[in-house]
Amino acid sequence: MGKIPGTPLLADDAIVTADAKKVIGDFYTEETSGEWNPPATDHPTCPKRLSRVQFTIEEIDTQADKIAETIREERDNIAEAAAYLAKREINRICMTGCGDSVMALDGARYLLEEILGIPCEAMQVLDFDYYYNTVVDDKTLVIMLSSSGKTLRTIEAMYVAEARGAQTITLSNTPGSILMEKSNRGLTIHATRKGWPTQASTAAMALVMELGFCLARERKSYDPARLDALHREFDRVPALVREITEGCREQVKNLAAEWGKKNMYLFVGGGPSLSCAFFGSAKVKEATPDFAAHVPMEEFHHYNSVKAGWPMFVIAPSGKSVPRARDTLIEGRHFGGLSCVVTTAGEDELAALADHAILLPPVLEYFSGLTYSVPVQMFGYYVAMDKFNRAKAEEDRAVR
C-alpha cells in the first residue's frame, strides 16, 4: 500500500484546493513535529492532571456568568451572522468538532431543528472530513467548534465545506485564529478552558442556540409568539445554572466520596440530555485514572450495560425520556448497578427507583444540555479530588 499519508486530504484526488492542501500540510507538520508529552503517570496524584482538575471547579463555578457574557458580548455579531445566512438558501446544517465540542453542538440540535425546520446533525470532524460530506452543497451550513481555532481536523472540515460550496460559521475561544479568519463568519466564545472543558462547552452551546433564535426570526421559520416564549425560557438559563451549581454542590460532593473507590462509571441520557451524559463521562476520564462511558438511553437496553457494583448516572429532566429512564433505573437495579438519577423536582417515581436523586429546577428539554450537565461536571471534579486525597494519604502513611 506504500507510505500512509498524514491525512487523506493531502492525497492527489482530495477535493480541497492546492492552497488548502498547503495549509493543511503545514498544520499537520506543526502538529506532528513536536515531542509527544503525555503525563508521566496515570496516578491520581499526577501533577499535570491535577493542575487542570483544580482549574476545573473554578470554571464550573463561573460558567453561568460566562454563558451570559458570551450572549451579551456577541449579540451584534450573532445578529449580523443571522442576517447574512438568511440571504442564503439553507436547507441543512452540519455541526462538527472533536470530543466535547461535537457534543456541545449536539446539545443544541433539538432546539435548532424545532425553530428552523431543517435537519441538523452533529458529527465528529474525522467522520465529516473523510466520509460524510458528499451531500454537502451550497445550501448547507457547516458550523465548526474549536476552542483553539486551529485544531487540524476542524481546519480540514472548513476546507472540505468550502470545496463543497457550503456556508461556514466557526465558534471559538480564540479570535484571530485561522478558523475564525477563514470561515464566512466567526463567533467568539467568552469562556476559558484552563481546566477540563466545562464553561467553554456550555457557552458554545448557548452561542449556537442564540444564533438559531436570530436565524429563525430572520427566516420567519417559526411562529413568532412561540419563538418569543422559547427565547424567554432560554434567557433564564444563566440564572438556572447558577442556582443548580450552588444547590447541588454538597450532594455531589457526598456522592463522590461514596463512589470514589469505584473505577468504572456510566452516564446515560437521551435526546439533548445525551450531551450531559457525554460531559459527565468525559470529566471522569479526563480528571481521574479511571474509566467512564456515556450510553444513549435506548442503547442501554440492548445489552447488560451495567454490571454489579458499577455506579451510573441517568440524566432525565421532565420530558419525553422519563418513561425510558424509569426502565433504565429498573434494569440497572436488576443487574446490581448503583444509580443516581438527575431529574426534575417532582419526578417522584424516578427518584424512588434510584439510590440517589439529584432534583433540579424544571427546564424545557431544549435547554437540558446547558443546565442538567452541571451535577455530572461537578462529579468529575469531586471524584477526582476524592481519589487524589485518598492516594495522597496512602503515600503519606507509607513515608511515615
Side-chain angles (χ1 to χ4, degrees), residues 337-350:
L338 306 173
S339 62
C340 176
V341 65
V342 181
T343 189
T344 308
E347 291 291 350
D348 298 334
E349 184 179 3
L350 292 186

Side-chain angles (χ1 to χ4, degrees), residues 49-67:
R49 174 190 279 134
L50 182 62
S51 66
R52 290 198 69 175
V53 170
Q54 291 169 329
F55 278 120
T56 298
I57 193 61
E58 298 175 22
E59 294 182 333
I60 291 172
D61 287 347
T62 56
Q63 69 182 328
D65 296 334
K66 291 302 181 178
I67 291 170

Side-chain angles (χ1 to χ4, degrees), residues 118-139:
I118 57 176
C120 304
E121 183 179 10
M123 68 180 79
Q124 294 283 350
V125 286
L126 183 145
D127 297 324
F128 177 83
D129 295 349
Y130 307 150
Y131 297 102
Y132 304 130
N133 63 70
T134 305
V135 296
V136 171
D137 58 20
D138 60 355
K139 295 181 176 61

Side-chain angles (χ1 to χ4, degrees), residues 32-329:
T32 57
S33 61
E35 182 180 350
W36 187 43
N37 187 29
T41 174
D42 200 33
H43 195 265
T45 61
C46 171
K48 187 171 183 178
R49 174 190 279 134
L50 182 62
S51 66
R52 290 198 69 175
V53 170
Q54 291 169 329
F55 278 120
T56 298
I57 193 61
E58 298 175 22
E59 294 182 333
I60 291 172
D61 287 347
T62 56
Q63 69 182 328
D65 296 334
K66 291 302 181 178
I67 291 170
E69 179 183 338
T70 295
I71 300 304
R72 182 180 66 249
E73 294 298 319
E74 290 302 295
R75 197 174 304 281
D76 291 344
N77 293 331
I78 293 167
E80 193 280 329
Y84 168 83
L85 292 171
K87 296 174 184 176
R88 277 83 186 159
E89 184 180 353
I90 304 293
N91 61 19
R92 180 178 180 229
I93 298 178
C94 291
M95 303 181 289
T96 192
C98 302
D100 285 67
S101 293
V102 74
M103 292 309 297
L105 294 167
D106 191 62
R109 177 181 180 177
Y110 185 33
L111 175 72
L112 295 180
E113 290 196 341
E114 171 71 18
I115 63 179
L116 296 176
I118 57 176
C120 304
E121 183 179 10
M123 68 180 79
Q124 294 283 350
V125 286
L126 183 145
D127 297 324
F128 177 83
D129 295 349
Y130 307 150
Y131 297 102
Y132 304 130
N133 63 70
T134 305
V135 296
V136 171
D137 58 20
D138 60 355
K139 295 181 176 61
T140 305
L141 169 62
V142 177
I143 300 176
M144 297 160 294
L145 174 54
S146 168
S147 180
S148 68
K150 60 177 186 178
T151 307
L152 173 59
R153 297 289 171 260
T154 314
I155 292 170
E156 290 184 316
M158 177 186 65
Y159 283 119
V160 167
E162 178 185 85
R164 297 292 189 191
Q167 299 297 318
T168 54
I169 298 277
T170 288
L171 315 179
S172 179
N173 301 59
T174 313
S177 60
I178 181 171
L179 279 166
M180 293 285 274
E181 294 296 317
K182 295 290 187 179
S183 297
N184 294 122
R185 293 294 184 276
L187 299 173
T188 302
I189 305 160
H190 294 260
T192 61
R193 198 174 173 179
K194 297 177 182 177
W196 302 112
T198 54
Q199 61 175 241
S201 300
T202 51
M205 192 187 303
L207 184 54
V208 76
M209 286 180 176
E210 182 68 15
L211 175 63
F213 279 117
C214 288
L215 186 54
R217 287 196 176 91
E218 291 282 351
R219 287 166 54 97
K220 298 179 173 57
S221 58
Y222 199 69
D223 176 76
R226 292 174 64 190
L227 190 67
D228 287 344
L230 277 177
H231 207 171
R232 285 194 295 274
E233 289 298 306
F234 175 71
D235 288 340
R236 295 177 57 239
V237 162
L240 281 174
V241 170
R242 193 173 294 110
E243 178 183 349
I244 291 168
T245 302
E246 291 310 312
C248 72
R249 187 185 306 276
E250 287 306 311
Q251 189 176 3
V252 173
K253 190 184 298 185
N254 292 337
L255 185 60
E258 180 179 333
W259 287 355
K261 292 183 180 180
K262 303 294 183 179
N263 57 18
M264 175 64 188
Y265 304 85
L266 292 186
F267 295 80
V268 182
S273 295
L274 181 61
S275 62
C276 304
F278 179 93
F279 293 152
S281 67
K283 292 327 107 188
V284 171
K285 288 187 286 186
E286 290 162 340
T288 80
D290 296 313
F291 191 71
H294 70 287
V295 185
M297 191 171 289
E298 183 58 30
E299 187 70 8
F300 179 91
H301 296 273
H302 292 266
Y303 312 91
N304 298 342
S305 293
V306 66
K307 309 304 179 186
W310 284 8
M312 71 172 188
F313 287 84
V314 178
I315 301 102
S318 291
K320 297 174 183 177
S321 67
V322 163
R324 203 53 167 151
R326 176 194 58 211
D327 301 341
T328 303
L329 290 165

